[in-house]
Amino acid sequence: MATKTIMLACAAGMSTSLLVANMQKAAESQGKDYEIFATSTADVDAKLNEKHPDVVLLGPQVAYMKEEVKGQTDKAGIPLDVINMMDYGMMKGDNVLKAAETLMEV
């Protein structure tokens, strides 16, 4: 199975780094080999071209940017959604991973 790539985007790419670690742990415990990384919303376009993620998830604090970012992801044919605020706040990597997989139709 090809490795799936999940991109998380927030204001600076910093607050999502702990969530990335928790998602990696959840994926590994399920025997899944995913590349999961965080970036800033300003860097989304460059990362779409560089990494070609299978899905993009926005931090809830930048949900107001969804339409702008959706324009970029739609052009690339990549699904996009906003991370559930409770899961984000509680750093529930397993739940966010499930949401990403649903979008990727894994």
Side-chain angles (χ1 to χ4, degrees):
M1 182 177 104
T3 300
K4 297 284 187 184
T5 303
I6 302 169
M7 179 167 89
L8 276 55
C10 69
M14 303 293 264
S15 59
T16 50
S17 59
L18 179 61
L19 184 57
V20 166
N22 290 349
M23 289 174 72
Q24 286 282 20
K25 279 185 208 149
E28 286 166 17
S29 74
Q30 296 170 28
K32 297 171 181 166
D33 181 27
Y34 291 160
E35 179 184 354
I36 306 170
F37 69 97
T39 191
S40 70
T41 49
D43 224 17
V44 165
D45 215 23
K47 293 293 183 192
L48 287 175
N49 294 320
E50 180 188 325
K51 298 269 194 177
H52 305 288
D54 295 287
V55 65
V56 177
L57 296 173
L58 288 178
Q61 73 276 35
V62 292
Y64 68 93
M65 296 183 74
K66 184 177 181 182
E67 288 310 309
E68 179 186 334
V69 177
K70 191 165 174 26
Q72 298 168 333
T73 57
D74 281 356
K75 270 190 255 174
I78 298 168
L80 166 83
D81 205 357
V82 176
I83 299 167
N84 175 286
M85 195 177 296
M86 287 292 273
D87 290 338
Y88 187 88
M90 298 179 75
M91 293 286 142
K92 291 195 173 268
D94 53 342
N95 288 356
V96 179
L97 185 66
K98 274 186 220 146
E101 288 175 334
T102 300
L103 289 169
M104 294 187 293
E105 298 171 0
V106 171

